[in-house]
Amino acid sequence: MIIGKSSIWRNSLIDIDKQVINCVERVWPKVIGRLTQREREDDITQRLVDLLRDDRVICQYGFLNIHFKLRKKDRAGDYTTKGILDMALFLDQDHEKYIAYECKRLNIVSDQGKRKASLAGAYVEEGVVRYVTAKYAEKLPYGCMLGYVMDGDIDFAFQQLNNAIKERKDLTCLETSRVALENSFFPRFETFHKRESCDPSFTVRHRLLSMV
């Protein structure tokens, strides 16, 4: 499938993604209202998707799928699952045209409510890297990460992520020299990466969602 000029397609994805995040902002208080700081990642994502579907506004932009299996064909013509994307918003009937959302917990807490690990390394290696290697969003120029900040400490989460991404710059093929956190309902930042197997320029938009 040839989507068209990468920059135009990327801008189109960003415009739709902004509307999706507006929907997430609207339902987020309900998402965390009945969850604890020790919830499983999948349970948070499932509740988020359920409430977004109930909200219905997101239906204007596409179909939201959860735990979408990404399939690939080998030389013999057999298909296997190369990865499972946490959320995907499909823009039309083409299964290759979607906005990818990978979700990870950050700043996990103990039974006593004390932070016990940042999980920034896992966020990078099991999230960002899967975009860079084109395991996710293979034919797309843009993808998203949602970080569930379990203890609500956004500044600490960003600091740890910034360090983890830079420490793994060879693994992530990082092209970003400086990462800045932009304050909004969900604080956000972007990183830019080089891909070797497809479109060489790839953007990951990161958003940090407080669970408090």
Side-chain angles (χ1 to χ4, degrees), residues 37 106-107 115 149-159 208 210-212:
Q37 290 178 276
L106 296 167
N107 295 4
R115 183 168 59 230
V149 184
M150 306 307 291
D151 68 352
D153 193 338
I154 297 293
D155 290 338
F156 181 81
F158 172 68
Q159 181 186 44
L208 303 180
S210 173
M211 288 294 297
V212 176

Side-chain angles (χ1 to χ4, degrees), residues 18-105:
K18 288 179 180 178
Q19 299 305 318
V20 172
I21 295 302
N22 286 339
C23 295
V24 176
E25 288 180 6
R26 186 166 51 255
V27 304
W28 190 247
K30 292 182 180 179
V31 173
I32 65 175
R34 299 183 65 178
L35 299 179
T36 72
Q37 290 178 276
R38 304 195 69 244
E39 294 290 344
R40 295 171 61 250
E41 172 194 301
D42 285 350
D43 291 338
I44 300 169
T45 303
Q46 182 66 71
R47 181 163 173 77
L48 173 59
V49 170
D50 286 341
L51 287 171
L52 285 172
R53 288 173 174 171
D54 285 347
D55 183 68
R56 302 298 296 171
V57 175
I58 201 168
C59 298
Q60 299 177 30
Y61 312 111
F63 174 75
L64 185 64
N65 203 341
I66 186 171
H67 297 156
F68 175 66
K69 289 184 178 181
L70 298 163
R71 306 282 287 173
K72 66 177 179 179
K73 182 169 67 174
D74 60 23
R75 293 181 178 178
D78 295 321
Y79 289 85
T80 59
T81 298
K82 67 175 183 177
I84 300 177
L85 193 60
D86 288 327
M87 295 192 329
L89 182 80
F90 291 88
L91 308 184
D92 55 29
Q93 297 302 311
D94 190 333
H95 73 282
E96 293 181 335
K97 291 175 66 177
Y98 61 89
I99 302 177
Y101 295 90
E102 181 66 5
C103 308
K104 297 295 179 188
R105 293 191 305 164

Side-chain angles (χ1 to χ4, degrees), residues 122-135:
Y123 175 103
V124 175
E125 294 174 10
E126 300 171 15
V128 177
V129 170
R130 292 177 181 177
Y131 282 121
V132 176
T133 58
K135 187 174 184 178

